[in-house]
Amino acid sequence: MTTASASDAQAVNVIKGLIMDATRKAASGHPGGAMSSADMAYVLFKDYLRYDPADPTWFDRDRFVLSAGHESMLLYALLHLRGLITMEDLQHFRQFGSKTPGHPENYETPGVECTTGPLGQGFSMSVGMAVAEAMLRERLGDDIAGHYTYVLSSDGDVQTPVFQGSAALAGLWGLGRLIVLFDKNQVQLSGPVAICDHVDYAKLFTSMGWHVVEIDGHDHAAIRAAIEAAKAET
């Protein structure tokens, strides 16, 4: 059961409504994963993501990477609530030439950190971002380069070799400011995950040197506690 204030619950419902309306209007897209991840992404953006509302390119902003690029309407809804894209942009979801393509494009849409199409690609780029942050922090100090890199990943993401190879490196290098929200909803495009995969990813990531916390991804208090624990593990 979700533990959210009335205003938080209303905000999440608005986000889900935008996801449903945009995908229905476009007659295309993936509303399920985007709605499944809405609570986690909302809590992250509201309570933890550090950014300058007036400058989406601020140097020391926290990075948010939507590795599950098919959940793009979730990101677009959040960027709309941040004031970076308009309602008209949302109404042109998945239309040629719009700021809201089917998968996020960083050269098209303000607030999108990297282009994420093939599964695993966004996560791998986020590992590179976290490496860059660690190197810059060592050279410039925490007050100039001390941001976090947050990632939203999906079941299809973690199954890819490029994801697992990058995750192994991140664990080896101890990238403590790389925090991944894994939406384990047990469904992928081809159907239930169980028909093709039975890996215990909590054990896999622990074996690669990651700090793993398993929660109910709709419980706002649990989401906050997990992010706090992730930030405390350096």
Side-chain angles (χ1 to χ4, degrees), residues 2-38:
T2 182
T3 56
S5 68
S7 60
D8 285 341
Q10 182 179 10
V12 171
N13 285 336
V14 168
I15 291 169
K16 290 179 178 179
L18 291 171
I19 292 166
M20 288 188 287
D21 287 347
T23 52
R24 179 172 290 249
K25 185 176 188 298
S28 179
H30 303 273
M35 294 172 67
S36 174
S37 303

Side-chain angles (χ1 to χ4, degrees), residues 12-189:
V12 171
N13 285 336
V14 168
I15 291 169
K16 290 179 178 179
L18 291 171
I19 292 166
M20 288 188 287
D21 287 347
T23 52
R24 179 172 290 249
K25 185 176 188 298
S28 179
H30 303 273
M35 294 172 67
S36 174
S37 303
D39 289 286
M40 292 192 297
Y42 169 75
V43 170
L44 175 65
F45 269 66
K46 174 178 176 284
D47 295 331
Y48 294 98
L49 199 69
R50 188 178 64 162
Y51 58 89
D52 181 349
D55 180 11
T57 64
W58 172 47
F59 177 74
D60 199 28
R61 68 192 180 279
D62 287 341
R63 272 61 169 176
F64 174 76
V65 176
L66 183 69
S67 189
H70 56 284
E71 296 186 15
S72 57
M73 256 312 301
L74 171 59
L75 178 56
Y76 297 148
L78 291 163
L79 294 180
H80 171 63
L81 295 178
R82 274 181 58 181
L84 293 178
I85 58 178
T86 67
M87 181 61 72
E88 184 178 2
D89 292 325
L90 298 185
Q91 292 170 344
H92 287 87
F93 174 59
R94 281 185 168 245
Q95 303 306 302
F96 182 74
S98 75
K99 290 184 179 179
T100 51
H103 286 70
E105 301 276 352
N106 65 319
Y107 293 106
E108 296 288 345
T109 313
V112 174
E113 295 292 350
C114 62
T115 299
T116 54
L119 290 169
Q121 173 178 290
F123 174 80
S124 298
M125 286 190 282
S126 75
V127 173
M129 292 179 185
V131 170
E133 182 277 329
M135 294 175 66
L136 289 169
R137 179 160 38 91
E138 181 68 23
R139 290 163 172 76
L140 304 177
D142 191 72
D143 57 333
I144 296 177
H147 56 271
Y148 285 82
T149 301
Y150 296 96
V151 189
L152 178 58
S153 291
S154 65
D155 290 291
D157 256 333
V158 300
Q159 295 171 14
T160 61
V162 67
F163 186 111
Q164 295 183 24
S166 300
L169 288 174
L172 176 66
W173 294 332
L175 299 176
R177 296 197 179 209
L178 174 63
I179 297 175
V180 181
L181 307 176
F182 171 30
D183 179 27
K184 185 182 178 183
N185 63 27
Q186 300 294 338
V187 176
Q188 58 190 34
L189 191 58

